[in-house]
Amino acid sequence: MAKRFPVEYYAERILAHDRLGLSRAITLVESTLPSDRELAHRVMDLVLPYSGNSVRIGITGVPGVGKSTFIEAFGNYVTNTLGKKLAVLAIDPTSQKTGGSILGDKTRMETLAGNKMAYIRPSPAGQSLGGVTRSTRESIMLCEAAGFEVIFVETVGVGQSETAVNEMVDFFLLLMLAGAGDELQGIKKGIMEMADAVVITKADGQNLQKARVARAEYQSALHLFPHAASGWVPKVSISSALENTGISEIWKTIGSYLELVKNGSFFEQKRQNQNLHWLHESIRQTLLDRFFAKPEVVKTLPELEQKVLKGEVSAFAAAEELLQLSHL
Ligand code: GDP
């Protein structure tokens, strides 16, 4: 087990904007050990007043869309041109199967990884989606308290994790490939509906014309979706991360969005609703963790599984018996 420190150490190092302290705190919030959870809660309480002051941006797209190349170009723009400190976090539920991570590969985002204004943290391996999303949510707050002004949360664009990311970011960016009629059908409608902006990637060379056509297609497709409660109309743009085009426009789009939602109460309301979502999510996750960690449950579950398989007891009765045994 990694070394642990007193609660004050984590809080002080984070507020001093120290990266090593931040990394250690993130390792702590990624742990599911009950003693670590308790320490993590105390750290979170101390840094809470210093969190919240960043622009939280979710970035998603299927593998191959050019996500890491885009994040590198956009990230270098945010840090080098805008002079803002950037943290890049990832939610990658597949990493528990492969043991790897979408950000684990050292060759990805090389220049950003070497950028002193940027902090890149791979998705924790070996956790359930629920576990990863909880620790990512807490990591966002730790990064904010450590002085990061822009946070990217990256996902692989294939399902559930996007819904979770949407519950922790202010702005949701969907990356799409041109050339596209079929993809327009194939992309999950739910993910399209969440997007505050769509970026058609690799808009260079022979692809440029196709990207322009795709932009028009997606723009009209987005008009079919009901207008968001914010009053924002999602924007579609094109970009080449290799040629560094269309990057500053995306930052401008995010700026216009923030101006709109901060003008009224929408921004604040959305963050409050997200907090409530995480309250409920935490209750669910904590109950599950505690239930499955109970020795009585660990001992009896396999026997009951066999009985259910043999049809000797119903799934519902078995569940009830375990719940009684767990004394939760
Ligand atoms: P990811 O799997 O979504 O992270 O995609 P990558 O960033 O690894 O990119 C996948 C492939 O697309 C790589 O071969 C990149 O070189 C290429 N690629 C990424 N961005 C661009 C771009 O802006 N233009 C062109 N032409 N190719 C790109």
Side-chain angles (χ1 to χ4, degrees):
M1 191 179 102
K3 191 171 171 358
R4 295 294 179 248
F5 299 84
V7 60
E8 296 78 17
Y9 165 87
Y10 294 104
E12 277 165 20
R13 295 322 305 155
I14 286 170
L15 297 182
H17 298 184
D18 169 53
R19 278 168 184 255
L20 179 61
L22 172 65
S23 291
R24 285 175 166 160
I26 293 181
T27 303
L28 176 69
V29 301
E30 284 172 356
S31 167
T32 51
L33 285 177
S35 58
D36 282 345
R37 289 306 304 145
E38 197 195 321
L39 184 56
H41 287 154
R42 290 166 59 209
V43 174
M44 294 307 298
D45 278 347
L46 288 180
V47 303
L48 184 66
Y50 305 92
S51 70
N53 296 320
S54 80
V55 183
R56 304 166 178 170
I57 302 167
I59 302 181
T60 197
V62 292
V65 72
K67 220 166 28 277
S68 37
T69 317
F70 173 81
I71 288 178
E72 184 152 67
F74 193 35
N76 281 320
Y77 173 80
V78 166
T79 51
N80 299 342
T81 307
L82 303 176
K84 291 183 186 294
K85 286 179 73 185
L86 167 75
V88 182
L89 308 172
I91 293 189
D92 178 12
T94 58
S95 69
Q96 58 185 310
K97 288 180 204 127
T98 60
S101 163
I102 46 174
L103 287 177
D105 179 355
K106 284 271 186 292
T107 60
R108 293 177 87 231
M109 305 186 201
E110 255 168 10
T111 64
L112 202 57
N115 185 328
K116 289 209 161 26
M117 299 280 283
Y119 175 81
I120 301 183
R121 179 80 183 194
S123 187
Q127 285 191 11
S128 64
L129 177 62
V132 180
T133 54
R134 178 195 47 73
S135 62
T136 305
R137 157 93 181 162
E138 290 177 350
S139 300
I140 290 177
M141 297 163 76
L142 294 173
C143 288
E144 288 171 343
F148 289 92
E149 303 158 275
V150 179
I151 316 245
F152 292 169
V153 184
E154 176 187 8
T155 61
V156 284
V158 284
Q160 283 180 306
S161 45
E162 285 62 48
T163 317
V165 172
N166 199 34
E167 292 290 350
M168 59 177 94
V169 298
D170 304 317
F171 192 91
F172 196 78
L173 200 60
L174 173 64
L175 306 186
M176 296 290 285
L177 287 166
D182 290 339
E183 272 145 355
L184 204 57
Q185 312 296 316
I187 179 81
K188 291 193 178 64
K189 186 166 166 274
I191 296 182
M192 270 299 255
E193 278 174 340
M194 278 181 226
D196 296 302
V198 173
V199 176
I200 314 292
T201 55
K202 309 188 192 182
D204 47 49
Q206 294 189 327
N207 234 341
L208 181 57
Q209 195 44 37
K210 272 200 281 181
R212 288 187 177 133
V213 172
R215 175 175 53 193
E217 283 177 4
Y218 282 109
Q219 193 69 70
S220 52
L222 283 175
H223 279 299
L224 299 178
F225 297 131
H227 283 256
S230 59
W232 173 253
V233 181
K235 298 265 183 311
V236 186
S237 63
I238 59 175
S239 166
S240 164
L242 285 190
E243 296 184 350
N244 242 322
T245 53
I247 299 288
S248 60
E249 286 79 355
I250 295 162
W251 184 258
K252 274 194 208 113
T253 297
I254 294 171
S256 314
Y257 172 83
L258 290 174
E259 205 181 303
L260 174 80
V261 295
K262 285 188 172 176
N263 216 349
S265 57
F266 186 84
F267 181 83
E268 212 28 59
Q269 254 171 29
K270 181 170 171 179
R271 283 207 172 172
Q272 281 173 353
N273 287 339
Q274 289 176 335
N275 274 337
L276 284 184
H277 170 88
W278 290 105
L279 167 68
H280 289 267
E281 203 48 44
S282 298
I283 293 170
R284 255 193 293 278
Q285 192 64 39
T286 309
L287 276 175
L288 278 176
D289 290 346
R290 288 193 185 159
F291 175 78
F292 284 110
K294 288 273 180 184
E296 297 87 347
V297 174
V298 173
K299 182 167 164 284
T300 317
L301 182 57
E303 293 165 25
L304 280 171
E305 279 174 352
Q306 287 309 316
K307 286 189 179 168
V308 169
L309 282 174
K310 287 183 194 146
E312 291 170 11
V313 58
S314 79
F316 309 102
E320 187 56 44
E321 188 178 332
L322 283 169
L323 281 165
Q324 299 277 350
L325 274 174
S326 74
H327 298 295
L328 274 180

